[in-house]
Amino acid sequence: SVSIEKEHRLWNLGCDAVLMMFMLSAVPPDLMQQSIRNAFGCLSPGGHVFFRDYGMYDLTQLRFPKDQRLGQKLYHRGDGTLSYFFTLEELRAKFEAEGFETVETDYVCVELYNRKKDFEMKRVFAHAVFRKPTTTAPT
């Protein structure tokens, strides 16, 4: 987990963008909001988060054995890391709860074909762009 001391060093960096590529799915669910809050804190007003991660019903999720399932959308891999599979509605809710505006969300569906193994792979990724408002509401 991110300590409070380290967390505050991230804030107010004045970044224009944060790239969250296949990382939030590996964060324990009880720490996901803190990760999103950290992204919000380091962005300048008007800054963006560019997000891509596993979407619901991705081939990886469908191939996990039942004994690796920790929850409806949470699995543990053989190497001890986690894999979480997102819905677009859930992503919007998580980011908007931390003050972000949703710019866009969509599923990216990719079909890959392994000729050597004669196997088609249907991948589903959650794609999103979120924006830190240019002004914050008074508290």
Side-chain angles (χ1 to χ4, degrees):
S1 75
V2 176
S3 73
I4 298 298
E5 180 182 317
K6 288 181 182 178
E7 171 187 311
H8 290 293
R9 281 191 272 159
L10 295 174
W11 291 6
N12 302 315
L13 290 177
C15 297
D16 293 324
V18 170
L19 186 62
M20 297 178 86
M21 300 286 290
F22 299 97
M23 56 79 53
L24 199 59
S25 61
V27 173
D30 60 329
L31 296 176
M32 285 182 186
Q33 287 306 121
Q34 184 61 52
S35 296
I36 295 168
R37 195 173 306 120
N38 287 343
F40 189 89
C42 74
L43 282 171
S44 296
H48 290 82
V49 170
F50 298 98
F51 181 93
R52 173 84 47 102
D53 219 319
Y54 299 109
M56 280 293 287
Y57 307 115
D58 179 57
L59 177 68
T60 303
Q61 180 185 19
L62 301 176
R63 293 179 66 184
F64 268 115
K66 290 185 188 230
D67 65 332
Q68 289 181 276
R69 186 176 179 172
L70 299 175
Q72 182 182 2
K73 299 178 233 173
L74 180 65
Y75 298 80
H76 70 87
R77 295 180 180 273
D79 64 1
T81 59
L82 297 175
S83 285
Y84 190 88
F85 297 86
F86 294 96
T87 66
L88 300 181
E89 297 78 16
E90 155 181 52
L91 276 178
R92 275 193 292 273
K94 285 182 181 300
F95 278 83
E96 289 175 2
E98 299 304 329
F100 282 100
E101 299 169 344
T102 300
V103 176
E104 64 184 53
T105 59
D106 204 356
Y107 288 111
V108 176
C109 300
V110 179
E111 290 187 24
L112 303 169
Y113 184 73
N114 184 325
R115 284 181 257 187
K116 185 176 180 181
K117 294 183 179 181
D118 190 33
F119 181 67
E120 184 178 60
M121 298 174 282
K122 294 185 180 183
R123 304 304 309 265
V124 179
F125 305 115
H127 158 85
V129 178
F130 300 99
R131 182 175 169 269
K132 183 175 182 175
T134 54
T135 59
T136 55
T139 55

